[in-house]
Every structure is written in C-alpha cells, then in structure tokens.
Amino acid sequence: MAEAVAEADIRPGEVRIEAGEAADAELRFIGRVRTPWTVRADCPRQGDPEGGPVCRIEVFEPWVAALEGIDRHAWLEVLYWMHEARRDLVVQCPRAGNGPVGTFALRSPVRPNPIATSLVRLVGVAGGTLRVRGLDCLDDTPLLDIKPDRSRG
Amino acid sequence: MAEAVAEADIRPGEVRIEAGEAADAELRFIGRVRTPWTVRADCPRQGDPEGGPVCRIEVFEPWVAALEGIDRHAWLEVLYWMHEARRDLVVQCPRAGNGPVGTFALRSPVRPNPIATSLVRLVGVAGGTLRVRGLDCLDDTPLLDIKPDRSRG
C-alpha cells in the first residue's frame, strides 16, 4: 500500500497525519479500466468525454449481468480506486498550484479514501466490456462502480 | 451488515448473486452527514442543490484541516457510504420502473459497492462543519470524501 510512503516524499508546506486503520467498510473490485496511460505523468489532468481517446471498462463476473440496459444511457459516472495514491495528507501543494491547499479543496488522487469519479460518454457495449470516452486514469485501475449520470437520466 | 438480507426480500424478476468477500480495499469513514430524513421512504429521490433543505456535513478529526480553502468552491461533490444497502443484486426492479434493469443502469443504493455521489451547493463552513444544499441521504450516513465539482473548478 502507498500509505507506507516515506515522510521525505512530502513537499514543503504539505501536512501529513496519522490516519490510523481504514477498516470501517470494505470494497470489492468489480472490474478494471483499460487506458493508454501506464505512468501517472502521462494521464490527462481531467478526462475529455468529447475528444478523449476511447478506453475500455472491463466488468468481471458475476457482475456482467448488471450491465443490462446500460446502453439506454449516453452518459455514465464511473467510480474507480486510485490504488497508487497515499492516503495521509490533509494539506497538499499541487504542482500547478499556488501554495498549500486542503485535500478536500482538490481533486488530487491523494485523499483519505482514494475514490475517483469520472463522467464518460458511452461509445459501445459488448458482453462485459464498455467502450467510453472521458477517462483520465492509469491503465489497469480497479473499477468500483458504474451509474447513469445523475443530471442526464 | 445488510448483506445477510434474506432471499425472500427480493422482488420477482430481481437476480441475486453470490458476491463473495469484499476485501480488495478498505475505507475509513471521515465524518457523517446530517439530514432531516431518518427513514429511507422519506429521502428525496435525488437531492436539489437549489431548493433542497440545508443539511450538515460533519468532518471528523484528523481530517478537519483538509477543509482549508474549500470555501473557494460553490459546488462540491460529496461521496458517502450507503450503509443500509444490500450488495448482491445484479438485476433490480425499481418501484417506479418498468420491469427488471441491471444494477449499473440504475442509481439505486443497492450495488456491489454502495458509494453514493451527490452534487451540492456550499452554503457555509464553520470549523469541521459544512452547510450544504443538495443531499438526499439518511441522517447519520457515513462520509467518505468531499471534492470540488469537476465541471465547475
């Protein structure tokens, strides 16, 4: 787990806390996200549901049946687990930012529960695989959930 | 846990699977959501960030420092844990719907990882407490994350 990252990896102005155990609830990975990006520096800062590359979401069994009817939705919200992120910073200094900011005022992957949400356009469905535009994460990122976008039904 | 709910609670047409253990990643509850709704039947179907009631989000220590700078964002995304939801249905029959639909084609609380996302308007911040409009969940729901809304910076 990235939680064991050394204190030395913190930038000046960042604040680390002793987060304690994360054992309040448990997640299951229900699939994985396939993207063209294998190192974090290559990931776009934010996905582009119009012009971004088509990526794949692979849903694992026994969850494939839960995709029934998803093709009625052009816009989906995808939740995934940022498995490489540390979880113990309360104040961060983003590379592109102006000094220290609280973790909840940022969309940085570094957060107490590293769950990302992306809004994507559905391009196609075949079996347990969705093709979508709008992702911004590393290849092989664990998938947590797929929902129709709230604002577009 | 609600996962032990009896087979008899399933509506005709719904499909339950043996989901197995959920032990791929662990969550910590970082606060709780306070709303006027104490039973699920009273919760609105979807939060209203304009006209809905002002609700409170209470962030617990040691995470309060992570709110620094959040007042620069009028719109926030709130992630919370739907602790009362079962997690083993792949096909569901929503009360208001037309027959069985896959879980990922619904925003129902019943899903393999019952994480909800809500878009809220920030009304005010004092210490570790935010006042917001747009929530739709039960009182005392465990909080997982707060982020600035992606589309509004």
Side-chain angles (χ1 to χ4, degrees):
Chain A
M1 292 291 285
E3 290 186 74
V5 172
E7 184 84 36
D9 292 343
I10 297 181
R11 297 180 186 140
E14 293 192 330
V15 179
R16 177 178 176 276
I17 48 91
E18 284 302 327
E21 215 182 345
D24 293 316
E26 293 188 318
L27 295 173
R28 51 174 60 105
F29 297 159
I30 58 162
R32 65 178 165 180
V33 179
R34 307 307 311 261
T35 74
W37 308 294
T38 54
V39 293
R40 199 149 134 53
D42 291 343
C43 294
R45 199 177 153 282
Q46 191 166 298
D48 176 358
E50 306 292 347
V54 174
C55 299
R56 288 203 318 280
I57 297 175
E58 298 172 355
V59 173
F60 300 153
E61 289 296 356
W63 302 107
V64 175
L67 292 171
E68 178 62 35
I70 203 160
D71 53 352
R72 273 172 249 156
H73 301 279
W75 290 87
L76 301 172
E77 194 179 1
V78 178
L79 276 63
Y80 53 86
W81 184 250
M82 295 178 286
H83 56 302
E84 296 197 358
R86 65 185 298 159
R87 303 175 64 173
D88 60 351
L89 297 190
V90 286
V91 173
Q92 302 176 44
C93 298
R95 210 162 307 180
N98 303 307
V101 187
T103 291
F104 300 141
L106 294 167
R107 291 185 68 91
S108 154
V110 172
R111 43 207 324 115
N113 295 301
I115 302 164
T117 68
S118 279
L119 194 60
V120 303
R121 284 196 78 133
L122 183 59
V123 176
V125 190
T129 301
L130 308 185
R131 287 180 306 121
V132 304
R133 287 185 201 273
L135 291 172
D136 54 14
C137 62
L138 285 173
D139 187 40
D140 220 20
T141 292
L143 179 69
L144 295 176
D145 200 7
I146 307 169
K147 317 176 196 269
D149 178 34
R150 77 174 76 75
S151 53
R152 294 175 239 225
Chain B
M1 292 292 287
E3 292 187 73
V5 171
E7 185 83 38
D9 292 343
I10 297 182
R11 297 181 187 138
E14 293 191 327
V15 179
R16 177 178 177 275
I17 49 90
E18 283 303 328
E21 215 182 345
D24 293 315
E26 293 189 318
L27 295 172
R28 51 174 61 103
F29 297 159
I30 57 161
R32 64 178 165 180
V33 179
R34 307 307 310 262
T35 74
W37 307 295
T38 54
V39 294
R40 196 147 138 56
D42 291 344
C43 294
R45 200 178 153 281
Q46 190 166 300
D48 177 358
E50 306 291 347
V54 174
C55 299
R56 287 202 318 281
I57 297 174
E58 298 171 356
V59 173
F60 299 152
E61 290 294 357
W63 303 105
V64 174
L67 292 171
E68 179 63 34
I70 203 161
D71 53 352
R72 273 173 250 156
H73 301 277
W75 289 88
L76 301 171
E77 194 178 1
V78 178
L79 275 63
Y80 53 85
W81 184 250
M82 295 177 287
H83 56 301
E84 296 197 357
R86 66 184 297 160
R87 302 175 64 173
D88 60 352
L89 296 190
V90 286
V91 173
Q92 302 176 45
C93 299
R95 210 161 307 180
N98 302 310
V101 188
T103 291
F104 300 140
L106 294 168
R107 291 186 67 92
S108 154
V110 172
R111 45 208 323 117
N113 294 299
I115 301 164
T117 68
S118 278
L119 194 60
V120 304
R121 284 197 78 134
L122 182 59
V123 176
V125 190
T129 301
L130 308 184
R131 287 181 305 121
V132 304
R133 286 185 203 274
L135 292 171
D136 53 15
C137 62
L138 285 173
D139 188 39
D140 220 18
T141 293
L143 179 68
L144 295 176
D145 201 6
I146 307 168
K147 316 177 196 270
D149 178 33
R150 77 174 75 76
S151 53
R152 294 175 239 227

